[in-house]
Amino acid sequence: MSTQPKANKVPASDQAWESGELGRDEASVKVSSQSTEQSINDALELQMISIRLQKGLIEDLKMIAELNGLGYQPLIRQILTRFADAEKKRLLRSTLEQVREGHEVDLGEMTDELSLKQA
C-alpha cells in the first residue's frame, strides 16, 4: 500500500476548462514552435505591428482583459475591429445620406478605400 497522498484530480468538463481549473498550470504549458506560430498567424491573417501606448492605458487594458478572461492583445484586436467596423458603417451611412440629398458620390472609390467584404 502506498503512503503517498493521491493528487486531487479535477474531472474534465467544459466548465473546468473555462474556469481555469484545468489547463492553466505550468504542466499544461508548452511553447509552440516557430512554424506552428507562423501557421496560426497565417491562418488568422495576423500581422505583427509595433505601437506605443501610455502605460496607464496598457494597465487599464490588461485589467479589462483579465476581467473578461482574455489576454490584453486579443482585447486590443477586438477593440480595433469593433472601431473599424463601426467607422465603416458610419462612413457608408454618411455617403448614403449624401446620395439621398442628390450629391454625386464615387461609390467605387469609397468601397475600395474601405476594403469592404461582400456579404
Side-chain angles (χ1 to χ4, degrees):
M1 185 178 260
S2 174
T3 59
Q4 294 181 357
K6 291 185 179 180
N8 291 335
K9 292 194 175 187
V10 177
S13 69
D14 290 344
Q15 184 178 2
W17 285 104
E18 293 295 325
S19 71
E21 287 182 84
L22 292 175
R24 291 193 187 166
D25 61 342
E26 288 202 30
S28 302
V29 175
K30 178 181 175 185
V31 177
S32 64
S33 69
Q34 187 74 18
S35 63
T36 300
E37 190 172 328
Q38 188 60 48
S39 296
I40 292 169
N41 288 340
D42 290 346
L44 297 175
E45 297 182 332
L46 299 177
Q47 178 179 340
M48 186 178 291
I49 65 166
S50 179
I51 185 171
R52 295 184 189 276
L53 301 172
Q54 296 89 351
K55 290 179 183 180
L57 176 59
I58 294 170
E59 290 170 10
D60 289 346
L61 291 168
K62 286 181 177 181
M63 184 260 314
I64 293 165
E66 184 178 342
L67 291 172
N68 286 285
L70 296 170
Y72 79 100
Q73 290 180 346
L75 175 68
I76 291 171
R77 275 195 298 275
Q78 285 184 9
I79 291 167
L80 292 173
T81 299
R82 288 179 195 172
F83 172 80
D85 290 346
E87 189 66 9
K88 287 190 291 187
K89 288 176 185 176
R90 186 192 65 78
L91 290 169
L92 287 172
R93 280 193 297 272
S94 173
T95 301
L96 181 59
E97 186 62 32
Q98 289 178 16
V99 169
R100 287 181 177 157
E101 291 174 358
H103 300 284
E104 279 192 36
V105 177
D106 184 353
L107 294 177
E109 184 178 307
M110 178 149 218
T111 54
D112 288 344
E113 289 175 12
L114 293 175
S115 302
L116 292 176
K117 297 178 182 177
Q118 291 185 7

